[in-house]
Amino acid sequence: MADRSQRVLIKDNYSGTYYSEWNKVMRGVPQGSILGPLFFLFYINDLPETINYTCLPTLFADDINIICVQRSPEGLKDDYANILRKVYRWFHKNSLTLNLNKTNLVHFAAKTTVNIPDCIELVRIN
């Protein structure tokens, strides 16, 4: 798979079609390759153990679900913040970025539960 190139194509119904310049692909596995999912699993194999003691991480393809169980809203918020910091550090260490726009927080709680945190702030870690 040496000597691969790629470019970006943008189609606009009003303005037409635009192409970027061709650039050589220096690393990575071609999209749709049989080896892609296998290499991805090898690459992220150590991610669950970085957060395993606080919660239950579940990997599926290129998604991760992190399940936390806590009795108090304050403890839950602390767990969320702690886990996000650990995940962010792991991503940074592995030259990846965590897309917070695609990251969701879903609460499952009894009806009588109050003061559930609706926002977790992730402070940039150097």
Side-chain angles (χ1 to χ4, degrees):
M1 296 280 173
D3 228 15
R4 292 180 292 132
S5 297
Q6 69 182 16
R7 68 178 177 179
V8 176
L9 163 72
I10 299 174
K11 287 187 177 182
D12 184 346
N13 290 338
Y14 303 105
S15 304
T17 303
Y18 301 94
Y19 299 93
S20 70
E21 297 293 322
W22 285 98
N23 290 307
K24 280 193 174 249
V25 176
M26 305 305 278
R27 64 186 95 144
V29 178
Q31 182 76 22
S33 165
I34 292 174
L35 291 176
L38 180 63
F39 286 154
F40 179 77
L41 291 174
F42 285 141
Y43 192 75
I44 64 164
N45 191 39
D46 65 332
L47 174 59
E49 73 186 35
T50 64
I51 56 176
N52 207 4
Y53 304 105
T54 311
C55 62
L56 174 64
T58 306
L59 299 174
F60 179 76
D62 62 348
D63 289 326
I64 183 168
N65 291 313
I66 301 172
I67 301 168
C68 301
V69 177
Q70 254 308 334
R71 293 200 178 269
S72 74
E74 295 81 19
L76 193 58
K77 186 173 181 177
D78 290 344
D79 281 356
Y80 288 154
N82 186 28
I83 290 163
L84 282 174
R85 274 193 293 278
K86 288 179 179 181
V87 168
Y88 181 86
R89 283 189 192 116
W90 184 92
F91 271 67
H92 188 266
K93 185 174 109 181
N94 289 281
S95 301
L96 297 170
T97 56
L98 177 61
N99 187 344
L100 293 175
N101 292 327
K102 289 184 171 182
T103 303
N104 294 300
L105 174 64
V106 179
H107 291 279
F108 297 95
K111 288 182 181 182
T112 59
T113 306
V114 293
N115 298 327
I116 302 282
D118 60 352
C119 179
I120 303 297
E121 184 176 339
L122 179 63
V123 178
R124 184 170 202 91
I125 303 165
N126 293 325

